[in-house]
Amino acid sequence: MLEKTEFDASASGATLTSAQLPPIPAKRYFTIGEVADLCGVRSHVLRYWEQEFTQLSPQKRRGNRRYYQHHEVVLIRRIRALLYEEGFTISGARNRLEEARGELQLREELQVVLQILAK
């Protein structure tokens, strides 16, 4: 008999929270299978999210294999939290990520201004 996997548990309604996900190892690139395990979603969901979220664009190499970087794994976890824990729709999550990106750009611009004023 096959062992019950993490995905079988989530299919029965017991989804993992962000705090229960395993830590992200210190690696440069992750395969789609590794990312699926790290983020608690299936690989076909990751491929779908690539179409819906423009910020998510893993490198593709031989045979169209996807390789995700650390910041993309963090982004996937954020998307997962928005969709599964905070109840956002795909478009709502997309908008929330765009807002966060705008806030980050504003913060960077303010840091530059502060550095100029400090001189």
Side-chain angles (χ1 to χ4, degrees):
M1 181 175 224
L2 294 173
E3 288 185 39
K4 190 168 192 158
T5 65
E6 186 176 305
F7 295 119
D8 293 335
S10 66
S12 67
T15 58
L16 294 173
T17 63
S18 294
Q20 295 171 319
L21 293 174
I24 302 171
K27 288 176 56 175
R28 186 171 175 121
Y29 295 105
F30 300 88
T31 65
I32 193 167
E34 291 172 326
V35 175
D37 290 340
L38 289 170
C39 297
V41 295
R42 294 185 183 245
S43 55
H44 69 272
V45 173
L46 294 173
R47 289 190 292 270
Y48 174 71
W49 286 355
E50 286 176 30
Q51 297 172 354
E52 296 296 324
F53 297 94
T54 57
Q55 307 94 321
L56 189 57
S57 58
Q59 293 183 5
K60 292 185 181 176
R61 295 193 185 152
R62 290 185 308 244
N64 239 4
R65 293 193 59 171
R66 289 165 169 80
Y67 291 94
Y68 296 85
Q69 294 182 36
H70 186 273
H71 67 91
E72 290 168 325
V73 177
V74 172
L75 175 62
I76 291 167
R77 284 188 171 190
R78 180 68 183 128
I79 292 169
R80 180 188 183 280
L82 288 170
L83 296 175
Y84 297 166
E85 295 171 22
E86 297 180 34
F88 281 84
T89 62
I90 294 281
S91 62
R94 190 182 309 121
N95 291 340
R96 180 63 145 237
L97 290 173
E98 287 296 325
E99 288 172 8
R101 193 166 94 193
E103 291 171 6
L104 183 61
Q105 288 174 341
L106 179 61
R107 186 174 295 143
E108 289 172 355
E109 291 173 7
L110 288 174
Q111 288 292 338
V112 170
V113 170
L114 284 173
Q115 288 175 353
I116 292 171
L117 291 174
K119 291 181 182 180

